[in-house]
Amino acid sequence: MKNTNLPSGTRDEFGIEAEVKETIQNKLFKTFRQRGFRKLTTPVLEYSDVFKPLSAEDYRPYQLLDDQGEPLVLRPDLTLPVARVMSTTGIELPVKWYYGGDVFRVKKQLSGSYNQLTQAGIEIVGYKGLKADWECLEVALSGCKSMGIENVTIELSHAKFVDTLIEQLELPDPTKDSLKQALFAKDLSKYSQLSQPLSDTQFGRFLSEWPWLFGNFDTVMDVVATLPEIDGLQSIITSLKSTAAFINQLFPKANVTLDLSIPSPQSYYTGMAFRGFTDKSAGYLFSGGRYDDLLTNFQNVKTSAVGVAFDVDALVERTSLPDDQPGALIFFDSDQWQQAEETLAKVPNSTLCLTDSFESAQQLAASTNSCLIDLTKSR
């Protein structure tokens, strides 16, 4: 007998939830188009080398071989395929793309995560300034608002903050690397041991609080203010403060937090990163940031780029499903088709009943909790 069970971690979508998902995608795509983004479609199958920059721990792909023995993968990400298309087609910059589709990632068994996820997002390529980052945040927060999700927490971070600061510490390079890894791993015992020689320096107070440097934006910035002025950090701090002010002004219901003790989301990130979530969601609704090194994986020319991607499945979980009101079944004889069509147009939430007998129509109406409109009575 054929096994009809789905692979572990995949979805079998149907009914109202699938309709909500389609509605959400269409809303997002409409917003993208209204803001001047053009659609870019990439293949589901890609050569595995495209995804080398990704963290292998978080983006384990499904692998297979083509007829020449070349390794292929089901795409575990949509940003890198966009970059690959950009680098191989010679498109004139700047450009604003949008995309949507499923990605596939091997997850640990019993992790509670799905292997197949739906994403929709934008990529802005060729713009260096903060305006491009803010456009991504505007799209992300407006998209959530259009779904009725307004109390979003925005977590800001910066890919260069940790390295820029550690470079200023008077420690041997191996010790700097160990300190950074202890910070990321929240190995407090090792971190305290490695940072102890600097406790009486101008970095002492900051280092003592660095492992816990996340949460309320202003509180974190108060700790950052204890640092001496460092040229490389000033532009980072300024951009973060400006971005928090931008969010607070345009989306006053959003809660802005800051995390300056985490690693870069991916190796190719070069600037500010952001993620959005709600207190009712286990995962992020959207994530993105600046990655000016992205296209250097496919070409020698460095190109500015920033983007954001929605987790459409997470949006579905946070979006109220429409009330499952009893529908109406329209029962009719085959020669009453035109009358049935007219009734269908007039009666909300109705559908044609295609059974051959009235008894079957009654059974179907009872099983679906629908009312039954019998057009044959008028004969």
Side-chain angles (χ1 to χ4, degrees):
M1 180 181 295
K2 182 180 179 180
N3 183 1
T4 58
N5 291 330
L6 288 171
S8 174
T10 58
R11 284 183 171 89
D12 188 8
E13 294 177 319
F14 62 94
I16 293 176
E17 184 174 341
E19 293 178 9
V20 172
K21 186 172 183 176
E22 183 177 1
T23 299
I24 287 174
Q25 287 180 289
N26 289 336
K27 277 187 177 182
L28 292 174
F29 291 163
K30 182 179 180 181
T31 298
F32 299 158
R33 290 192 295 268
Q34 287 175 339
R35 299 187 73 88
F37 289 83
R38 297 158 52 197
K39 188 170 185 179
L40 181 65
T41 302
T42 61
V44 174
L45 280 176
E46 289 273 8
Y47 286 107
S48 60
D49 286 349
V50 171
F51 302 100
K52 277 186 175 180
L54 291 178
S55 165
E57 182 177 346
D58 298 327
Y59 293 85
R60 293 171 57 208
Y62 288 92
Q63 303 183 56
L64 58 157
L65 300 175
D66 67 8
D67 57 355
Q68 302 298 319
E70 292 291 333
L72 301 174
V73 297
L74 290 174
R75 62 188 182 200
D77 170 77
L78 280 166
T79 295
L80 283 163
V82 170
R84 194 263 309 158
V85 171
M86 289 287 302
S87 65
T88 56
T89 53
I91 297 172
E92 186 176 350
L93 302 179
V95 293
K96 298 165 71 175
W97 297 115
Y98 81 88
Y99 58 82
D102 290 343
V103 297
F104 307 86
R105 301 168 185 171
V106 179
K107 298 292 185 179
K108 294 180 180 178
Q109 287 190 343
L110 307 180
S111 68
S113 300
Y114 284 105
N115 295 336
Q116 180 178 348
L117 307 170
T118 303
Q119 291 184 345
I122 58 173
E123 303 291 344
I124 304 174
V125 185
Y127 293 94
K128 295 181 179 180
L130 267 180
K131 287 182 180 179
D133 301 62
W134 291 357
E135 171 82 335
C136 288
L137 285 165
E138 167 71 33
V139 169
L141 289 166
S142 295
C144 290
K145 187 175 181 180
S146 70
M147 312 298 168
I149 308 171
E150 295 196 59
N151 296 319
V152 177
T153 294
I154 305 294
E155 179 189 87
L156 299 179
S157 60
H158 200 287
K160 298 298 185 184
F161 182 88
V162 172
D163 286 339
T164 302
L165 179 55
I166 284 185
E167 186 61 31
Q168 302 298 315
L169 303 180
E170 294 184 0
L171 294 171
D173 288 342
T175 305
K176 290 179 181 178
D177 291 338
S178 298
L179 181 68
K180 181 169 67 172
Q181 295 309 314
L183 172 70
F184 291 159
K186 297 298 183 281
D187 185 342
L188 302 182
S189 176
K190 185 174 182 179
Y191 176 87
S192 296
Q193 178 185 357
L194 294 171
S195 61
Q196 178 60 34
L198 301 173
S199 59
D200 294 329
T201 69
Q202 56 188 343
F203 297 98
R205 180 184 168 185
F206 178 88
L207 291 175
S208 69
E209 299 189 44
W210 201 1
W212 299 274
L213 204 57
F214 54 88
N216 178 270
F217 187 91
D218 292 334
T219 302
V220 172
M221 276 300 176
D222 287 343
V223 179
V224 173
T226 67
L227 286 169
E229 286 197 14
I230 300 171
D231 290 340
L233 283 185
Q234 295 312 305
S235 60
I236 293 175
I237 294 170
T238 299
S239 66
L240 289 169
K241 287 182 176 180
S242 299
T243 299
F246 169 82
I247 296 171
N248 290 329
Q249 181 179 2
L250 270 67
F251 300 93
K253 292 186 178 181
N255 175 39
V256 183
T257 64
L258 182 60
D259 194 335
L260 296 178
S261 63
I262 55 175
S264 172
Q266 294 295 339
S267 61
Y268 54 77
Y269 271 63
T270 59
M272 188 164 53
F274 39 83
R275 297 184 284 194
F277 58 94
T278 69
D279 56 0
K280 297 179 181 179
S281 177
Y284 293 101
L285 302 176
F286 60 82
S287 62
R290 178 164 288 277
Y291 22 77
D292 292 345
D293 288 344
L294 180 63
L295 267 67
T296 58
N297 293 289
F298 307 98
Q299 61 186 33
N300 294 325
V301 180
K302 187 172 181 177
T303 305
S304 301
V306 60
V308 64
F310 289 92
D311 183 337
V312 177
D313 300 294
L315 290 176
V316 171
E317 292 175 3
R318 301 273 63 82
T319 301
S320 298
L321 298 178
D323 292 335
D324 192 13
Q325 298 291 342
L329 286 176
I330 304 169
F331 179 71
F332 60 101
D333 288 332
S334 58
D335 60 353
Q336 292 180 294
W337 194 282
Q338 183 173 351
Q339 183 183 355
E341 289 286 349
E342 292 172 354
T343 306
L344 181 67
K346 294 177 182 178
V347 180
N349 196 24
S350 63
T351 185
L352 297 182
C353 180
L354 304 178
T355 61
D356 292 327
S357 69
F358 183 69
E359 290 75 14
S360 298
Q362 287 180 310
Q363 293 175 2
L364 182 59
S367 67
T368 58
N369 196 26
S370 303
C371 64
L372 186 60
I373 300 174
D374 184 9
L375 298 185
T376 65
K377 285 184 177 180
S378 61
R379 293 188 163 238

